[in-house]
Every structure is written in C-alpha cells, then in structure tokens.
Amino acid sequence: MVFCLRRRDGLPGLSISIAFTLVWIGLIVALPLTALVLRPWQDGGGVMLRVLHDARMYAALRVSFGCAALAAAIDVPLGLLLAWALVRARLPGRRAIDALIDLPFALPTAVTGITLATLYGPTGWVGALLARAGIRVAYTPAGIVAALMFVGLPFIVRAVEPVLRGLPPELEEAGLLLGASPLQNFRRVILPPLLPPLVAGFSLAFARCIGEYGSVIFIAGNQPFRSEIAPLLIVVRLQEYDYNGATAIALILLMSALACMTGVAALRRRVSRGLVARGAA
Amino acid sequence: MSVQIRSLTRRAPNASRKMLDGVSLTIEDGAFVALVGPSGAGKTTLLRTIAGLDGPYEGTVLVDGRVLAGRPMRERRIGFVFQNYALFRHMTVARNISFGLDVLPRGERPDRGAIAARVAELLELIQLPTLGGAYPDQLSGGQRQRVALARALATKPGLLLLDEPFGALDPIVRRQIRRWLRGLHDQLGLTTVLVTHDHDEALEVADRLVVMQNGRVVQEAAAETLDAAPATPFVMEFLGEALEFPGQVAHGRFLPDDPNVLSFAVGAGDGPATAYLRPHEARLVAAGGAARAIPLTGGQGGLRRLAVALGTREVEILVLPERLGQVGTEGLGLDIGRARLFRDGAPLAGAPPVASGQELPRVTVG
C-alpha cells in the first residue's frame, strides 16, 4: 500500500523520505520493542510463567492503569476549561498562563515529584490543610493520581486548543438562534467537534501516565499491593538483578498499553464521524 | 413579520468608531429587502443586530412592534443563514435540519415521526430529498447553502435573515438559488432581509434595496426607482458603472466643463454641479465637435462598447452597433441628457426626469 503512491505528491522526494522513515522507525522503535518482546523468553518460558503468577505485579499494573486512567479522565474537563479560558476569555496574563501550561513537559520529572511530595506531604502547604480535613494524599494512590494529573494536563490543553480556536463562533450563534439553551448548545454543538481532540489528548495523557516514573515515586509511598506502580516494580526487579522478571513485566505493560491505546483509537474514530474526510478517520 | 429600527447606533468594541450610525429603517411584513453596500458598510452588523446577536446598542429595534432583547430565541421566530453556513459538521443533514425542533422542550417538541416528516418535507423543498443521511462535508457549496436555509426554516420563522448567502457559489448556481429563494419567500409568506455586496443580485431578488455606507443608510428605495433617482453619487456609482461629468448650471442649462459634451436644459439654480449617467444612457451625435469614437471589444446586451475621446480624457459608453455607422467616428458630440445631476453630494432639485428621449433600450449594466 505504501508504495503505490501517486506520482505527483505535495512532498518532494516522497519515496526517499518514506524509505528513510521506515529505516528510522525500524532502528529506533521496532528494534528495541522486538528485543523487549524476545528477551523474557531467552531463558525458557518458565520466567514468563513465574511472572504471570506474581500477584504483586498484577497489583502494580492495576495501580498504574487505574491511576493513569483516572488522572487522564480528570484532566479532560480541566484541560477543556483551561483551553477554553486561553482561547475565549481575554484573561490578563494569558501569555504567561500559556507558557506555564507546557512547564510539566520541560521539568525533570524528579523535580515534579519532589515538589509535589513536599506540597502534599503531611507538613506541606496543601498536605497540612488536607490532613486537617482528614484526607491523605501523599503516600497513597491519591498522590499518584495528583502527580499524574500534573503531568497529563498539557496534553489535553494542547490537543483541544487549536480545534477550539478553529471553531467558528457562528456555530454557537446558529445553535442559539435555533432555540438551543446554553447547555443544549454546549452539549450538542460545541462539545461534539471537541470530542476527537479530547479523546486524542486523553490517550496521549493516559499513555504518558502509564509510563510515568519520576514524578510518581516520590509521592506514591511505593507500598507493594497499594501504591506501587508497574514502572517502579520493573526498577525494583532490575535492582534485584532479575532482568528476565523486569522485561517480562515490561512486556505485559507494553501489551496492556497497546490494547488500551487501540481501544482509545477506536473511540476516537467513533466520535470523529462527519468531522474528518471519509476514510481518513 | 415587520421590523422597525429607530436611530440605531453601535460602536465597535474597544473603539469609538461607529459600526452603525443612527440607522432608521422600516421593513414591512412580507417584504424582501436587500442590504447592499461595500464591505465595512455595516450591513452584516445591522443584520446581526436585528437577529439579536452581539452586544448592546443605542436606539430601538422592534420586530412586530416588540423589543426582542431579553426574550428567548425560540419565541423570536427568526431564521438566520450565515455567510459560512455554520452547519454542524458532526451531524447528518437531517439532524442539522431538525436541530431547531430537537432542542425544543419536551412539551413543545413534536414526536419523532412528526420531526422526520418535517425534515423530509424540507429536504423536498430544498430539492435534496436523498441527502438526509449525508454529512455537510460531503456536500457541494450550493447544497450546503440550501441545507443551511432548510435548517433556518425548520422552526417556521416569520423573519428570514441571510448574510451574503450566495457569496461562495459559482454564477450559475447563484442565479438558480436566488430565483429559488425568491420563489420560496413568496410561497411561504416570509419577510426576508438579505445582505449582499452584489447590486445585481440585490436588484434581481429584492423588492426594496437599502444602500449602506459607513454605517449609515444612504438610500432606501424600490429597486426600480433607485437607479432612476439615486440619493447620492455613491449610490449611483455603487449600482453600476457610472460616468461623471463636472460642469456648471447657468440660465437653466447644464454646461459640462468639457466642450464636446452637449449642454441640456435643467430646472435648477445656477452654480456648480456634476452629472452622472450610465454608459448605455449616453448618446453619440454628429454635432461637429472634436470628440472621436474608438470601437472597443466587448459589449453588453446587444450594445457595443466604445471609447469616446473627449478633449482631455476618454470615457467608455455603450451604443447600438448601427449607431456608429450613422454618425461616423469623427466630429462627434456626446449627449448626456439623461444624466442625474448632483450638487454637494445631493441630487439637484429640478433636474430633468430620466425619461427624456428614450432612444436606447434600458439594460442593467454590471
């Protein structure tokens, strides 16, 4: 399919570019992934069987995926609000906020982790307040979710923002003129075109959150079966010189992530109906 | 539904510039009115203000004698078609059309069958009976335009507001759709206000034209009288190609500054004046003047385009092809007896009626 391209295409040197891209993808992405898939079987299937019976790993995967999904899900409305404020409201200091949103991308994740741990810790600004209300965030799964929300938010904002900016204001006016209430207008007119970028942002944030390590381990408490994430368990196994165990967990993490991403992609196609040219969805 | 607008003024946000400046206008029930003018004249702003979009304004806007501001949109019975159509891309054509019915509160909403029947009826009306299941992105410009119209008509509005609805269409589709729209207007008994910058379109489709310039209404008149008696030189020039002849009125005659242009009788006081006329209204006469005719390519409505070399400039006029044979190309004079006279931007009282010497056929010149 890739090779039956039209002769005249917008991009010059397309066939060379594609060949180059394929080689590059092979070297950078496919090769390590293949190694990851093959490594656990090197010493026979026994390692894999052992790992598959490891309840601690399942707990860690549950924590990782559960917290990532929850954090990304909470980020969706927050990111939408933030994007809305950036695009529609003439906020003072809009540019500063705009720059701040990308900060989680730039910060070393360990810095994020330590900052959040300090903030939400029992003596931190927020942590002390919450402790008075009887809520513990640091060293619980709630802390993991808090850290992941911080990391995932920019994905949502940056995915929604351009689409929101490109949404003609006449759409809303048309809805109102046709008698829709503001709530109906939001639900029926504004939200549907924003769903594809919201789902895309969600999937990016979710993917990032599954693999997130640095920002989580300082705040999570890392108790096995409760607040230990899968990436940390891999590191633990590596420190125990159990390379096969580590790669086996990594493989399962990879497979689960792949399954989740496929599901999200299917969802995105569903909500994109009519919004993208036929066949390109 | 009738619309009364009294001294309406709107300012641009964060600017003192007036987008609308003391606009007063009455639109009778059942009228088809076109708002015309160059871009930036305030046509769209006026239309949006009638619809109740945008922020506050000074003055009053009454629809059927009532102020609309603060009343729910669905009670206003206004259909609006945007320049970019503003169709909902994520909905099928049928869902787009039924939107106004779907959002009605449960008590007032027709049941599914009735909505489907109404959609089918409207699809029939816009001559796209099979496209109910298509998405807007799969339609052509003309089809989208009609879907936008059907969507606006679904709730049976009394007042239809159209913002440059034909702007993006090719000339043939454009002509078809405006005929069709005019038919629809008559058939449904609508009051229609159309914004356009194309005077031809306005003349063809509307009963009355409202010419706007710099946020003001310059002239409001029936299509036929507008060309005969323009209120300002701007209106004259906006409605089509116009030739300009400065001169003086003295002793009951207009004397053009150019000696090769013939004078004519007027009933106005002495003083400077400017004559304007359409290219097809000028006549060549064998008057022994110094004007020369230079045939050009092209023409309109069976008329031939000519350049007439006067003393210091050339003007282009349209004449019957055989006229050139009668008068030759040398030693000519230009008869502008059918011109409209203006002094200080206002029509000159006592200027002759346009219908003097109907020798040439009347055509609308684009």
Side-chain angles (χ1 to χ4, degrees), chain B residues 151-170:
Chain B
R151 186 178 66 177
L153 291 174
T155 49
K156 302 196 171 160
L159 179 62
L160 186 60
L161 305 174
L162 307 151
D163 187 8
E164 304 235 5
F166 314 119
L169 306 178
D170 67 71

Side-chain angles (χ1 to χ4, degrees), chain A residues 1 19 22 56 61 71 126 211 217 219-220 238 263-264:
Chain A
M1 283 297 277
L22 288 177
R56 185 175 167 190
L61 284 176
V126 181
I217 51 166
I219 197 173
L238 286 176
V264 173

Side-chain angles (χ1 to χ4, degrees), chain A residues 168 170-181 184-185 187-190 192-193 271 273-278, chain B residues 48 51 53-54 73-74 78 80 82 84 86-91 95 99-100 102-104 135 137-138 151-152 155:
Chain A
E170 286 88 357
L171 280 185
E172 286 157 65
E173 292 174 344
L176 291 176
L177 281 166
L178 288 166
S181 67
Q184 283 175 318
N185 213 26
R187 212 173 58 77
R188 288 168 181 258
V189 175
I190 303 167
V271 297
R273 217 178 310 161
L275 292 170
V276 284
R278 264 202 160 165
Chain B
R48 290 174 59 89
L53 295 169
D54 300 342
M73 281 290 181
R74 70 170 65 98
I78 290 177
F80 199 104
F82 289 90
N84 61 4
L87 292 177
F88 307 133
R89 292 173 59 211
H90 58 283
M91 296 182 196
R95 296 282 296 179
F99 185 88
D102 290 338
V103 296
L104 286 172
Y135 284 94
D137 281 10
Q138 298 166 320
R151 186 178 66 177
T155 49

Side-chain angles (χ1 to χ4, degrees), chain A residues 85-178:
Chain A
L86 277 177
V87 174
R88 293 294 172 88
R90 298 256 153 260
L91 290 176
R94 200 154 29 97
R95 280 168 213 282
I97 299 173
D98 199 31
L100 271 177
I101 286 171
D102 290 332
L103 213 57
F105 283 149
L107 275 182
T109 48
V111 174
T112 311
I114 292 166
T115 311
L116 288 175
T118 319
L119 202 58
Y120 286 107
T123 54
W125 292 348
V126 181
L129 280 176
L130 288 173
R132 216 172 296 164
I135 305 166
R136 264 191 74 191
V137 173
Y139 317 128
T140 66
I144 303 179
V145 173
L148 292 181
M149 277 169 59
F150 179 81
V151 173
L153 190 61
F155 290 99
I156 314 271
V157 178
R158 289 303 176 221
V160 175
E161 197 193 329
V163 181
L164 189 59
R165 213 178 279 281
L167 219 57
E170 286 88 357
L171 280 185
E172 286 157 65
E173 292 174 344
L176 291 176
L177 281 166
L178 288 166

Side-chain angles (χ1 to χ4, degrees), chain B residues 17 49 73 75 131 138 166 181 200 204 248 265 280 284 299 302 311 317 365:
Chain B
R17 192 177 68 85
T49 307
M73 281 290 181
E75 285 176 26
L131 286 179
Q138 298 166 320
F166 314 119
L181 177 67
D200 265 345
E204 182 177 324
Q248 301 286 329
H280 69 268
L284 281 175
I317 65 167
V365 179

